[in-house]
Amino acid sequence: MYIKQVTIQGFRSYRDQTEVDPFSSKHNVIVGRNGSGKSNFFYAIQFVLSDEFSNLRPEQRQALLHEGTGPRVISAFVEIIFDNSDNRLPIDKEEVTLRRVIGSKKDQYFLDKKMVTKTDVMNLLESAGFSRSNPYYIVKQGKINQMATAPDSHRLKLLREVAGTRVYDERKSESHTILKETEGKRDKIEDLLKYIEERLQTLEEEKEELKQYQKWDKMRRSLEYTIHNHELTDTRKKLDELAERRENSGERTKHLRDIHEAAASKTKRMHKEIREISTRLHTIAEEKDQMNNERQDLLKKKAKMELDVKDLQDEVHGDKDAKVKIENQLSKLDGEINKKQTELDDILPQFEELQKREENATARLAMCEQRRTELFAKQGRKNQFRTREQRDDWIKKELKSLNKSIRDKDNQISRLQEDIAADYKKNEELEAKMQKLNMDIEQMKDNVEGMNKQHYGMKKKKDDLQNERNLLWRQENTLQQEMSNTKEELHKKEQNLRSMIGKAVLNGIDSVRRVMENFRRKSINPDIINGYFGLMIENFQIPPKFNTCVEVTAGNRLFHHIVKSDLIATKVLTEMNKQHMAGEVNFMPLNKLNVRDTVYPESPDALPMISKLAYDEMFDMAFKHVFGKTLVCRSMDVASQFARTHGLDCVTLEGDQVSRRGALTGGYYDTRKSRIEMQRGIIDLREKAEQQEQQYEEHKTKLQKIEVEITAIMSDMQKLETKNRKNKDIFEQMRSDLRIQREESQVIQRSLQPKERRLNSLKSNLEAMKSTLQSLEEEMGTDLLSQLSVTEQKEVDGLNDDIKALTQQNKDTMNQRIRLEGQKNKLENLLSNNLMRKRERLLQDLQDISAEDKRQKLDTTTIEFQAVCSNIEENKSRIDEIEKQMEGMADMKKSILSEMDEWKGQEKDHLDRIQDDTKELEKMTNKQSLLLKKKEECMRKIRELGSLPSDAFEKYNNLSLKQLFKKLEQCNAELKKYSHVNKKALDQFVNFSDQKEKLIKRKEELDKGHEAITQLMNVLEHRKYEAIQLTFKQVSKYFSEVFQLLVPGGHATLVMKKGDIDQSSQELESDSGSGSGMPAGTPLVEQFTGVGIKVSFSGKAGETREMQQLSGGQKSLVALTLIFAIQKCDPAPFYLFDEIDSALDAQHRKAVADMIHGLAEDAQFITTTFRPELLESADKFYGVRFRNKVSHIDTVTKEQAKDFLEDDMTHN
């Protein structure tokens, strides 16, 4: 077994989790600078394995936690993994993990990740060889120096720890404590024995006087018995008389109670009627408030609708007047438009004729001027060109240009013609569209009006349904109020019934019901659901007068559960146990009940109880089991007779029972607390609640149907409104489109005339170009002349005359055209921009005035107004009816209250009489109690007299009380003479004698115990001495051997100091052999004063020195030798040495290293050092670094370990 791996986190300088690589099973060396954390590593292992860190205070725990930069450490742990392949630890695992976790408030051990106690850990380590008496398998830094400078007494203490004398000391201390207790008990017993001897002498003297006293005492007791017996007989006679009076009083009280219960029942019934009337009054009052609120709403609605009707009437009349006015204006406007259109039609032919004449004159004038220009140009070409070729070339160019211009003109003319044709076509299409749009507008208008009518019809239907729904709501509130009252009354009755049942039975009933509800909800176990029939009390009916006797007979069996079979009962109980349901449950399985038929007597004074029960035949066995052996009898006498003769249980109607075994049970039974009556009321209320639930569901279904209809109508109305709104938008869009198309047509018509004039102009220009072209073509090839020909000159003259005439004609025509054009434009503007637009606006206004729509709205609103008025009348009549009902109910309530007060008065009178009887009964009871106490006292006094003489019962019976008291007085006078006599002298003498014998035996036992304890203490002392002697011899032997290994040629011995005498191990052995006799020769460990050390480093006897004479290094070597010797004496599986070689020279360090190397074959060593000698013999090396106040430990090579040491020596 050895330490395989160590993990540290949060402990001292090891903040982060540090896992040390697996250790070697032999020698491991840890190197590092001073303060790097080497010692903290050893502390961590010691923290887990030793007792040094036990019972820590909070501040000591906090000191073990890492304190440095970074987050605050709140807990730390150290975990050691042991290699347990040799099974040294009694755990069947090759690796055992031991962890200790510590915090400011916790300290826990974990063995293989399971929490264990510290005691368990220490016991486990001791079983593996870790002795508490030898903690030197861990040698901390400075321990060597401490042992080197320690006094001899300290080494003796160390030797005693190694020898394990602590156990002997503890047992000796316990024995000493027991010895003291034994001596104390012996002293007490001796004192008691002395006291008892004195008392026995005194009691011996009192015995003779006691005999005379006993003679007179017997006589006194006989007299007292006779007196007490007379008093007891008299008391019993008075008690019999009181019992007879109580019986008569009971019958009278019973009669009064019956009358009182009848009055109370009547009062209760009236109180219930008053509560029902109050509930109905409350419901009707709520309905009245609701009707008043509805009336207020209807009145407000009526006032608003009156205003709406008036406004609509005004609007309809106003629309009629406006329509007539617009129609008159439209008629006047049409006349004016016709007049202006006639004027325009008269002007247009003249204007068009003048326009044509002007255009023709202009065209002819242009042609004449063109021709004249061409002739003048031809005349001037002689001056322009020198030769004909030059002219012809120029003409060619002009012809080319003219041809191009002619083509362009043709193209322009054709495009303009196409444009004009397109305008005509578009205008025709617009006319067709406008015609169709007008038709669509009229159709859409009809659709809108139709939808308005449909919407008004739906609204009326919706209002009717809402009125019906309001009525149903009122009825629903009434039903809910009735249901609430029924449920409340049912709950009260159920609670009253539950209060009469025991808690365990009640919990059982609730548990069974939850189980059945769970089965029904999950639709499982149908056989259980169908095989469970409920409680017995729920499955029968009985006439009310038999309630008391049935309830008394059945008792808690009324709440037994009837099931089809025992299997069903078992399953229900299993489910209850599975769900941890509480309660007491009693099942009556029909398949297990075996009841024999009973022969009942035929008598008018008795009848079988079961004959009065009404139940299902399938439950026959259950009811025969409970009631089959019971008769209902007329009286107790009859019941007693039948119980004796027929062996049946009998019961009276009042609930008094006579068992067939002879027992009588009875007393007053309060019928107001009858569980059967309560159950009958619960059943009636449940049926009533079911009927109300059914009625409420039907009402709710009807209400939901109306709600659905209202929702559907409102949805249809919304859809219709949406569709109508969309149609109106389309209608307005159509009107807008019509207006736009009309304006577009007017624009097209206005643009046609300029286009046609431009077309004529282009055609004239084209003709002129063609004429010029023809002239140039004719000129081409002719001679170049400076003058025109005669024909051409004539043509020029004719052209001048034509031009002059045409110019004048054109001027006159243009003036006329301009005048007519002004008139035409004025009329056209008046028509298009004024009159026609005004006409369109009037037509638009006429269309906007929808008199039919408003009239329909007026009709609908009027109908609604009439409906509201009708609802107000109905509301008023309903309120009047409700007020009449409330008055009638108030009168009825007042009458019932008056009658109830009378019955309450009677109830109070009877109650007072009952209370008077009760008081009288209490007086009799108190008197009876006094007599009973007197009776008990007489009997007690007789009993206290003890055993009486045989003649005491008859000797003084013939004497009167006076004579008896006289004799008693004489007897007491004689007894006074012996008043000083101890009445218990004989008893005390016997008691003290017994106590004396017991104390003598107890003293003998304590003496034997005292002697045994003394012997045990001597044996422990001797064994402790032997343990120290043996340990000293072993340690001394190993000390010499180890010293010779460490110092070749040297010699060292241990010396036990006894007073001023020094003894070696041989001398000590011979001394113990000569003085081992017991008890006189018992050795005393306290004789030893210390353990001294004598060494010689040269081996010469003359150079032997003690510890005080050695140098520091020599002292350290000797201390180390002692530690090795102790470890050899009590070997451990591993050792931890912290800088044990710090004070040694090189030679001795080498010797220590060689010794550790040799010992490492059988045990693991983990050492720290600043010297290289230990490195030479080590198997594995670890380096400790300290950075940022945190320690880290890593595996290093031997060379790196040496570098560590050299670096540390350099810094130091």
Side-chain angles (χ1 to χ4, degrees), residues 327-339 839:
E327 287 176 350
N328 292 335
Q329 290 178 358
L330 193 60
S331 176
K332 291 180 182 178
L333 191 61
D334 286 340
E336 189 175 355
I337 288 171
N338 292 333
K339 179 181 177 183
R839 185 175 184 275

Side-chain angles (χ1 to χ4, degrees), residues 832-843:
S832 61
N833 294 332
N834 189 355
L835 298 178
M836 293 303 293
R837 288 188 178 181
K838 191 173 181 180
R839 185 175 184 275
E840 288 177 3
R841 188 169 65 253
L842 290 173
L843 288 172

Side-chain angles (χ1 to χ4, degrees), residues 15 51 302 441 507 551 602 729 810 893 896 980 987 1054 1118 1134 1190 1210:
R15 183 189 66 188
D51 280 341
K302 177 185 176 183
I441 287 171
N507 290 336
E551 190 166 345
E602 295 182 0
D729 294 340
N810 195 15
K893 182 178 179 181
I896 294 174
H980 62 282
D987 295 338
L1054 291 178
V1118 171
F1134 58 83
V1190 178
T1210 302

